[in-house]
Amino acid sequence: LQCKSHCHGPHRPHMHSSRSVHGDQGLPGPYPTAEDPSTCDIVKATQYGMVERCKELVEAGYDVRQPDKENVTLLHWAAINNRQELVKYYISKGAIVDQLGGDLNSTPLHWAIRQGHLPMVMLLLKCGADPSLIDGEGFSSVHLAVLFQHMPIIAYLIAKGQNIDTTDLNGQTPLMLTAQKATGPEPMRFLLKFNPSLNAVDNVQKNTALHWAIASGNTSAVDLLLEAGTSLDIKNVKGETPLDIAYQSQNHFMVYMIQEEERMRNRRNNGLLKIVEKYELFLMLTSSLIFMWAIGYVMDLSSDSWLLKGGLLLSLLFGMSLFVRQLVGLKNLRYLPTAFLLSSFFWMSTTWFFWFLPDILYTQEIMMGLLYYFYKTWSTDPGYIKTSEEERKENIIALSEAGCLDFRTFCTSCLVRKPLRSVHCLACQACVARYDQHSLWTGQCIGIGNHYYYLLFLFFLTMTGVWLLYGTLQYWSNHCAASFHQDGVWMYFTQTVSCSPWVSYISSVACFHTLWASGWLTVQLYQIAFLGLTSHERMNLLVQRKSSKHPVSLRRTPYNLGCFQNLADFFQCSCFGMFKPNIIDWTKQYKLFHLAKEKNVHSV
Ligand SMILES: [Zn+2]
Ligand SMILES: [Zn+2]
């Protein structure tokens, strides 16, 4: 992707002391759009970036330090309009970088930040501008970047060593400003990545960021601050806790949010529940095993009353949902399908041992293969992009200075540059290299690291299911008296089900797993061999195709190198020297390169 530097037309700074979050971009300036370069004065020439005219006037004796009627210098005008060449020229002619000017007593750096000109901010810092200076409203550079929600500038200033907990004149930190003024969850989520002090209070009202967020009704900020672990007990100058403020503002939803959080935190201090939480995954697996068995047991009861069985099954389901809601935390809820899958493995093997074994041979290899590849998929790193805090700061500086701090290629959650084909997974809270999907059944991300194991897992799951269904058919023909030819389809069906409800139950579970695993395996193999795409990329292209007027081809992508080469690349297999697999480290690949001479390719 290309890096573009944005250049706006001439701007005048804020003339009013408003604490508005919105910038003044887009407002029509008081100046006409065209000026005569040969006659206009130096202020207008600076605003419009007429470098030659400015140089001419300065050479003729104009003092670059001379402020105009509004106490604004030429450097201010050059900075707010992103005239980089003029800024360099004026500084070389003796302009003072940190000159205060304008109604708000701001430096040129403050003006550049209000407008969101990252290249200008970098240039001024390079020329020695001091980002810790405060303007007439008491805001330092970081505060202004936060107020106007210019996230690349926030990232750059912090990477350059500005403290995330810098206070303004009233003792407000950037976090408090965001809680109070920002719209949407993104600015707050972004700021929290830099580990700000959550429980700092301002000088005047002694409010924490949470107090401010509640007072201004910023629901998403409250949610994020609670999740980050902000204290609920700090009292402000009037002795009010965050909950008191929520009551006062009569915001029932926020009262509920805070009370829920309080309840959760108290529970965490309870000794018994602590143990439950520690072994939560194990507990989930055990209970899922018991529930699966209990369902089969109820169906296997010798009673003929379907009413009794139905009632028991319903109460089982009710008990299960109650258990899940009371004991399983939100974090581990995503492992519920995994627990079901593992219990299915267990009861499928048990059924084989105790119902089928004398008649039909047990094939350990398939079950062992299934367990092995499940374990490998689950435990192998899918390709999380890892960086240290220092590396992240270096990244931000390097990318900004190269003009590439583009939020399409930069993950604002991980603060890393995203490699090609990587995606940020919300469940894992990380960027994953050559991301395919977050698998429901393994509870893990599928990426470059474990995609291969995942396919083999699907293959062995299909095989296990098919083998078990074969065993079921054999069992029925050996143990059930019904005959397909004599009794008709319906009679045959009811006879076999009642012949052994347990076997029917397990075989229907096996059937379910076989269906989704084989279907998904087919789709995966098709994508890998014929499209050279991941599931995520294919979904994106399908969505693009629906909304785009131009035809979007799934086959003409830079990653599709033909069926055999795609397979050789995926499995990294040369097939006895017939192919030459491309070796690409997808955790470090940032630029598109031409694997093949493809033209008219779409970006994915
Ligand atoms: Zn990420
Ligand atoms: Zn994930």
Side-chain angles (χ1 to χ4, degrees):
L1 291 165
Q2 278 192 325
C3 311
K4 291 177 202 151
S5 70
H6 298 280
C7 183
H8 301 284
H11 282 292
R12 290 171 60 78
H14 278 248
M15 291 301 170
H16 310 287
S17 307
S18 76
R19 276 195 167 198
S20 147
V21 173
H22 306 286
D24 56 1
Q25 283 125 315
L27 291 179
Y31 298 108
T33 46
E35 284 289 337
D36 183 0
S38 56
T39 57
C40 71
D41 68 36
I42 192 158
V43 170
K44 281 177 193 166
T46 305
Q47 287 167 342
Y48 285 95
M50 300 166 188
V51 181
E52 289 314 314
R53 174 72 181 154
C54 294
K55 284 185 178 171
E56 189 187 317
L57 288 167
V58 172
E59 300 301 329
Y62 191 92
D63 179 8
V64 292
R65 301 187 187 197
Q66 172 81 45
D68 63 14
K69 298 186 293 293
E70 290 157 340
N71 193 29
V72 178
T73 66
L74 293 179
L75 200 59
H76 283 91
W77 290 120
I80 200 169
N81 290 302
N82 202 18
R83 308 295 178 201
Q84 297 178 43
E85 203 178 325
L86 281 175
V87 165
K88 284 182 209 159
Y89 177 69
Y90 289 149
I91 290 174
S92 76
K93 288 290 169 190
I96 298 164
V97 180
D98 284 331
Q99 180 70 50
L100 298 174
D103 282 3
L104 298 179
N105 226 14
S106 321
T107 63
L109 179 66
H110 291 146
W111 282 26
I113 291 173
R114 281 170 181 268
Q115 287 305 324
H117 295 313
L118 178 61
M120 180 54 71
V121 171
M122 291 188 297
L123 176 62
L124 287 168
L125 286 185
K126 209 185 267 170
C127 294
D130 181 0
S132 64
L133 289 178
I134 56 171
D135 68 6
E137 288 182 302
F139 294 130
S140 77
S141 298
V142 183
H143 291 101
L144 287 173
V146 166
L147 264 180
F148 290 88
Q149 302 195 26
H150 296 307
M151 293 194 275
I153 297 183
I154 304 174
Y156 186 74
L157 288 172
I158 290 170
K160 273 290 188 184
Q162 285 298 292
N163 189 345
I164 184 72
D165 293 322
T166 318
T167 51
D168 68 4
L169 263 191
N170 300 323
Q172 279 200 308
T173 62
L175 190 72
M176 295 178 203
L177 277 185
T178 309
Q180 197 185 355
K181 311 255 171 158
T183 44
E186 271 318 307
M188 176 59 81
R189 193 174 287 145
F190 182 71
L191 220 58
L192 285 171
K193 292 286 160 192
F194 294 98
N195 298 324
S197 155
L198 296 172
N199 297 326
V201 295
D202 66 289
N203 298 337
V204 185
Q205 311 209 32
K206 304 278 179 211
N207 279 340
T208 63
L210 186 58
H211 284 97
W212 283 114
I214 296 168
S216 54
N218 192 343
T219 317
S220 56
V222 171
D223 186 36
L224 288 165
L225 285 168
L226 289 177
E227 194 189 304
T230 313
S231 165
L232 301 174
D233 310 319
I234 296 178
K235 290 179 179 163
N236 67 8
V237 79
K238 292 185 203 151
E240 297 156 335
T241 62
L243 186 60
D244 295 332
I245 297 206
Y247 275 123
Q248 279 167 26
S249 57
Q250 303 201 328
N251 191 329
H252 300 298
F253 183 60
M254 276 190 193
V255 170
Y256 170 77
M257 278 166 85
I258 297 167
Q259 283 174 337
E260 266 303 285
E261 181 69 21
E262 227 162 19
R263 204 174 63 89
M264 289 279 289
R265 288 188 192 179
N266 286 338
R267 261 181 53 166
R268 240 168 265 159
N269 296 331
N270 178 320
L272 180 71
L273 286 168
K274 248 187 196 162
I275 297 174
V276 168
E277 203 167 288
K278 197 170 170 190
Y279 298 104
E280 200 171 314
L281 281 182
F282 180 73
L283 205 79
M284 231 163 87
L285 186 60
T286 328
S287 46
S288 147
L289 272 174
I290 296 170
F291 278 124
M292 259 195 95
W293 168 79
I295 291 172
Y297 180 80
V298 169
M299 287 170 68
D300 224 15
L301 282 178
S302 53
S303 158
D304 267 341
S305 161
W306 281 102
L307 200 68
L308 176 73
K309 287 186 181 182
L312 280 172
L313 281 179
L314 272 181
S315 51
L316 258 179
L317 282 177
F318 179 73
M320 193 155 75
S321 65
L322 201 73
F323 168 82
V324 167
R325 218 178 300 159
Q326 286 304 312
L327 287 182
V328 182
L330 269 181
K331 210 176 86 218
N332 283 330
L333 211 57
R334 60 186 164 127
Y335 292 117
L336 216 57
T338 317
F340 170 58
L341 185 73
L342 286 174
S343 325
S344 310
F345 294 170
F346 180 81
W347 290 118
M348 276 153 71
S349 322
T350 317
T351 308
W352 200 284
F353 265 109
F354 292 100
W355 274 263
F356 300 167
L357 201 55
D359 306 330
I360 307 139
L361 277 182
Y362 181 68
T363 47
Q364 292 138 298
E365 289 82 7
I366 297 181
M367 204 64 193
M368 293 296 282
L370 176 60
L371 286 177
Y372 175 74
Y373 285 112
F374 173 82
Y375 171 75
K376 286 300 263 186
T377 311
W378 200 73
S379 63
T380 309
D381 174 7
Y384 294 128
I385 312 294
K386 298 182 204 83
T387 45
S388 68
E389 182 151 358
E390 276 316 300
E391 276 175 316
R392 273 180 252 158
K393 286 187 175 174
E394 280 165 22
N395 265 341
I396 292 169
I397 294 175
L399 287 175
S400 318
E401 281 168 6
C404 291
L405 194 59
D406 182 334
F407 279 15
R408 283 166 298 183
T409 54
F410 184 81
C411 177
T412 50
S413 299
C414 310
L415 303 179
V416 296
R417 189 178 178 194
K418 281 196 260 185
L420 214 61
R421 310 186 83 177
S422 69
V423 170
H424 183 81
C425 173
L426 286 174
C428 300
Q429 293 281 354
C431 280
V432 179
R434 209 188 68 191
Y435 172 86
D436 187 77
Q437 57 175 310
H438 185 90
S439 163
L440 181 73
W441 292 105
T442 58
Q444 278 309 327
C445 250
I446 306 300
I448 182 76
N450 57 358
H451 202 169
Y452 168 77
Y453 296 129
Y454 181 65
L455 281 196
L456 283 164
F457 157 71
L458 289 179
F459 171 75
F460 277 101
L461 183 56
T462 309
M463 291 296 289
T464 311
V466 168
W467 199 243
L468 198 111
L469 289 175
Y470 168 72
T472 310
L473 287 179
Q474 291 289 315
Y475 178 85
W476 281 342
S477 65
N478 289 347
H479 293 85
C480 301
S483 148
F484 188 74
H485 297 290
Q486 285 169 13
D487 303 325
V489 179
W490 178 246
M491 268 300 275
Y492 176 73
F493 177 74
T494 48
Q495 287 279 313
T496 45
V497 168
S498 56
C499 165
S500 168
W502 173 269
V503 171
S504 312
Y505 163 59
I506 290 299
S507 67
S508 60
V509 170
C511 195
F512 168 71
H513 286 308
T514 314
L515 280 177
W516 76 258
S518 57
W520 196 216
L521 181 65
T522 316
V523 171
Q524 286 270 325
L525 284 174
Y526 167 73
Q527 285 168 177
I528 290 163
F530 294 102
L531 302 177
L533 294 177
T534 65
S535 314
H536 181 80
E537 287 162 349
R538 182 161 167 242
M539 285 305 295
N540 270 357
L541 283 176
L542 287 174
V543 171
Q544 257 183 47
R545 179 141 83 180
K546 269 193 182 159
S547 58
S548 160
K549 284 175 205 142
H550 309 288
V552 174
S553 162
L554 290 181
R555 285 171 181 272
R556 295 186 72 82
T557 64
Y559 310 125
N560 187 3
L561 306 177
C563 177
F564 294 112
Q565 186 64 44
N566 287 345
L567 283 172
D569 283 355
F570 183 86
F571 292 102
Q572 285 293 309
C573 151
S574 65
C575 274
F576 310 107
M578 286 202 299
F579 304 103
K580 203 164 156 272
N582 294 301
I583 298 163
I584 299 158
D585 184 356
W586 288 110
T587 57
K588 294 196 176 75
Q589 191 68 43
Y590 299 101
K591 280 199 204 82
L592 194 60
F593 48 93
H594 289 281
L595 293 165
K597 298 268 178 286
E598 284 275 338
K599 276 170 193 160
N600 304 323
V601 293
H602 298 282
S603 66
V604 178

